[in-house]
């Protein structure tokens, strides 16, 4: 009678799991893209067969982070067999699979028996976007060409350019990286309207103000912590102020509904929390408005609640 046991090497799985956990702790589901325009497909092998299991989510995440648009992945040798060549300097990505085998064993009764085992193996693959010379099949075009969204305004482009943050347009997620002091935004074409692009950029630039070289807020907290939720609240309030000054929609409270429970917890446990968050948000928005060359409307500091608290 055959038995079944899973025998694995944990290094590849741990590496993939750790990367996914990092994304989740940043508050991002790496397999969910809130912006339109990106073609949707399971990751595909060079023969067109879909990857399955964890490889699906892992390769989705890698493709999104790197900005790959092709769903096809292949080994170096497979690329060459297709007439292509991996570009010099491109880095491979691991994919994993289970290799099954049968082992002769001695069972508890001292009799010869067999046992089915599976070993976790890893191999290196490249996305078709990392290769030259492949047939057109491996670079499918989006079903609908990217369309320039409505509502672009020169004055807002100029405002955000004057802030002069380290900004790149890449992939399908918006986020700020404190260690690199860099904002990443999806291309504007992936938004329904420029107003939503500008509002998202205002939110991420609000985080950017917290860097140690600027307003020096604590940006090292993990997703799920009170401090992380507080920083998100500051960015939300700051982007609301920017929206009022610049004429942008305030949409983020809906987009970040998952944070509301954390914000409620903070506000209910500390009656001064909203005053602190509002004061820090005002600082962030004021800095951005000053850097962007926009003069905010003057407020009556005599009745400012943050000062009165």
């Amino acid at each position: 009678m055959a038995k079944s046991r899973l025998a694995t090497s944990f290094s590849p799985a741990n590496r993939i799991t750790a990367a996914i956990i990092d994304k989740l702790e940043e508050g991002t589901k790496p397999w969910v893209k809130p912006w339109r325009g990106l073609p949707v497909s399971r990751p595909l092998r060079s023969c067109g067969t879909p990857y399955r299991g964890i490889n699906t989510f892992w390769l989705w995440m890698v493709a999104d982070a790197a900005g790959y648009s092709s769903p096809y992945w292949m080994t170096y040798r497979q690329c060459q067999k297709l007439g292509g060549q991996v570009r010099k300097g491109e880095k491979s990505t691991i994919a994993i699979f289970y290799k099954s085998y049968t082992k002769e064993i001695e069972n508890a009764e001292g009799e010869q028996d067999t046992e089915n085992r599976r070993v976790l193996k890893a191999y290196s693959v490249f996305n078709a976007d990392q290769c030259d010379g492949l047939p057109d099949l491996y670079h499918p075009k989006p079903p609908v060409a990217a369309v320039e969204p409505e509502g672009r305004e020169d004055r807002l482009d100029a405002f955000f350019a004057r802030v002069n943050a380290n900004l790149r347009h890449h992939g399908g997620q918006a986020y700020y990286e404190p260690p690199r002091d860099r904002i990443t935004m999806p291309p504007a074409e992936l938004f329904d309207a420029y107003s939503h692009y500008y509002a998202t950029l205002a939110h991420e630039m609000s985080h950017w103000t917290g860097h140690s070289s600027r307003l020096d807020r604590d940006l090292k907290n993990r997703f799920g912590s009170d401090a992380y939720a507080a920083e998100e609240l500051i960015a939300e309030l700051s982007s609301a102020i920017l929206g009022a000054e610049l004429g942008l929609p305030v949409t983020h409270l809906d987009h970040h509904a998952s944070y509301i429970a954390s914000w409620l917890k903070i506000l209910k446990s500390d009656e001064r929390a909203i005053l602190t968050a509002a004061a820090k948000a005002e600082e962030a928005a004021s800095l951005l408005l000053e850097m962007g060359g926009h003069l905010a409307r003057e407020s009556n500091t005599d009745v400012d609640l943050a000062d009165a608290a």
Side-chain angles (χ1 to χ4, degrees):
M1 179 180 176
K3 300 179 181 179
S4 178
R5 185 176 74 181
L6 182 63
T8 66
S9 169
F10 289 100
S11 294
N14 279 352
R15 177 178 170 186
I16 291 173
T17 300
I20 291 176
I21 287 173
D22 284 345
K23 285 292 184 183
L24 291 173
E25 287 182 334
E26 291 172 7
T28 300
K29 295 179 182 178
W31 46 85
V32 175
K33 298 181 179 69
W35 291 279
R36 65 177 175 83
L38 295 177
V40 178
S41 171
R42 290 179 68 121
L44 304 174
R45 296 181 174 85
S46 60
C47 61
T49 303
Y51 282 91
R52 301 176 65 84
I54 190 60
N55 284 321
T56 297
F57 305 109
W58 168 240
L59 295 178
W60 264 342
M61 188 176 79
V62 173
D64 182 66
Y68 301 146
S69 59
S70 175
Y72 287 94
W73 297 81
M74 61 199 68
T75 64
Y76 189 92
R77 183 173 296 180
Q78 287 169 339
C79 177
Q80 289 187 318
K81 286 184 177 180
L82 291 168
Q85 179 62 49
V86 176
R87 285 191 293 274
K88 185 177 181 180
E90 293 286 352
K91 295 183 179 180
S92 64
T93 299
I94 61 169
I96 60 175
F97 70 100
Y98 286 107
K99 181 177 181 179
S100 300
Y101 66 97
T102 301
K103 182 176 178 63
E104 296 287 337
I105 63 167
E106 185 178 288
N107 61 26
E109 289 75 30
E111 300 173 346
Q112 289 297 115
D113 202 348
T114 60
E115 182 178 77
N116 295 328
R117 297 186 176 185
R118 292 198 299 165
V119 180
L120 189 64
K121 297 284 188 179
Y123 60 103
S124 298
V125 293
F126 296 88
N127 186 271
D129 285 0
Q130 298 175 274
C131 308
D132 294 321
L134 290 174
D136 291 342
L137 165 69
Y138 295 95
H139 299 284
K141 299 185 184 304
V144 178
V147 178
E148 179 81 3
E150 296 181 353
R152 186 165 191 172
E153 297 188 40
D154 291 342
R155 68 178 182 91
L156 292 174
D157 288 342
F159 171 82
F160 288 113
R162 283 193 294 267
V163 173
N164 199 29
N166 182 6
L167 171 66
R168 68 168 182 168
H169 291 88
H170 178 81
Q173 297 177 2
Y175 52 92
Y176 170 63
E177 300 170 272
R180 296 183 179 181
D181 193 22
R182 181 176 70 183
I183 296 169
T184 294
M185 286 283 293
E189 306 87 65
L190 300 188
F191 290 82
D192 291 323
Y194 257 98
S195 58
H196 295 138
Y197 167 83
Y198 293 134
T200 302
L201 181 55
H203 176 91
E204 299 306 330
M205 281 194 171
S206 295
H207 284 307
W208 175 84
T209 65
H211 189 266
S212 59
S213 65
R214 289 178 283 277
L215 297 180
D216 196 20
R217 295 194 303 274
D218 184 2
L219 301 176
K220 299 178 181 179
N221 302 289
R222 288 293 190 179
F223 175 69
S225 68
D226 287 351
Y228 182 97
E231 171 60 25
E232 280 296 326
L233 182 56
I234 291 167
E236 290 295 339
L237 298 177
S238 172
S239 62
I241 295 170
L242 290 171
E245 291 288 344
L246 301 175
L248 301 175
V250 181
T251 58
H252 288 89
L253 286 173
D254 290 332
H255 291 171
H256 290 268
S258 60
Y259 294 135
I260 290 179
S262 297
W263 294 338
L264 288 173
K265 176 185 174 184
I266 294 172
L267 301 184
K268 289 177 179 179
S269 64
D270 181 1
E271 64 182 11
R272 290 177 173 266
I274 188 63
L275 303 181
T276 300
K280 290 181 181 294
E282 191 69 56
E283 288 179 346
S286 295
L287 177 61
L288 290 172
L289 290 169
E290 179 183 352
M291 296 179 76
H294 180 90
L295 296 178
R297 291 184 292 274
E298 293 184 1
S299 62
N300 185 348
T301 56
D302 291 338
V303 295
D304 190 282
L305 290 179
D307 293 337

